[in-house]
Amino acid sequence: MTRFADLPESVRRTRMEDTIRTYFEGCNEADVEKMAARFTPEAVHYFPPGLDGPWKGNRTIGENWRQLVLTIGSAWSIERMIIEPESFQAVIEWTHWKTKLGGYLRGDEWYVFDPETGLISEIRAFYASAPDGRDEVTMQGYDYEANGHRMTPPVKRPHPDADYTTHS
């Protein structure tokens, strides 16, 4: 099998973008297998302090996002994406919709891809501001709508498997 690092840059760019988009599809579908398959087995997802992280392992990442879909109605949209295949890195701007709670969170994630497989080995999440209990966690003064960001979740909620009785 050809190493990811040995593929042409244009192919790596396309695969990296497809991997991130498919990961987000898996998140929105609450499909643990689809999410886990986009990561190396030992992948790590880092979060800001106080958010019960990091999550270690591809299955843990998938299972934790599924749990949030089923309990608080999580849904995600990708707002912007920059891919840098020569360094095996990407950055995205996203929105995490928390439909049961009636709010959302805006932020960015830095992705590191494994040069052998092209799978995600690390994600570092950065939030627009501290998740301090507000319904809308955004950068103060930035006009998201005018700058082309989604203002509603990209998928219908609640998810068919959701059980909102376990979280408030």
Side-chain angles (χ1 to χ4, degrees), residues 55-157:
W55 295 346
K56 296 180 179 180
N58 61 346
R59 291 207 51 83
T60 298
I61 294 166
E63 290 165 357
N64 287 348
W65 287 134
R66 177 178 169 77
Q67 184 65 24
L68 289 174
V69 167
L70 302 183
T71 57
I72 66 168
S74 290
W76 295 267
S77 54
I78 296 172
E79 309 299 344
R80 308 275 191 284
M81 184 181 307
I82 298 172
I83 306 289
E84 190 177 86
E86 61 274 16
S87 70
F88 307 101
Q89 298 179 90
V91 65
I92 68 167
E93 186 176 25
W94 47 258
T95 303
H96 176 179
W97 306 94
K98 300 176 181 186
T99 63
K100 180 185 183 240
L101 306 175
Y104 56 89
L105 171 68
R106 305 261 192 204
D108 295 301
E109 287 178 339
W110 195 275
Y111 287 74
V112 177
F113 289 81
D114 177 57
E116 294 297 318
T117 63
L119 297 173
I120 301 164
S121 61
E122 178 180 292
I123 298 176
R124 295 188 313 271
F126 301 90
Y127 293 5
S129 60
D132 60 4
R134 288 177 280 156
D135 288 338
E136 298 175 358
V137 181
T138 62
M139 291 186 297
Q140 188 172 353
Y142 183 78
D143 190 340
Y144 286 92
E145 188 169 23
N147 284 287
H149 290 70
R150 291 188 63 96
M151 300 309 292
T152 58
V155 293
K156 186 178 181 205
R157 288 293 180 252

Side-chain angles (χ1 to χ4, degrees), residues 7-62:
L7 296 171
E9 188 175 297
S10 62
V11 173
R12 290 195 317 262
R13 178 183 306 279
T14 299
R15 280 195 38 199
M16 290 166 70
E17 180 174 348
D18 289 347
T19 297
I20 293 170
R21 291 192 185 282
T22 303
Y23 163 54
F24 269 68
E25 288 172 9
C27 290
N28 283 326
E29 295 164 3
D31 185 332
V32 173
E33 296 305 322
K34 190 172 191 175
M35 287 181 271
R38 303 305 171 257
F39 290 90
T40 61
E42 67 284 350
V44 180
H45 195 317
Y46 296 95
F47 297 91
L51 296 174
D52 203 26
W55 295 346
K56 296 180 179 180
N58 61 346
R59 291 207 51 83
T60 298
I61 294 166

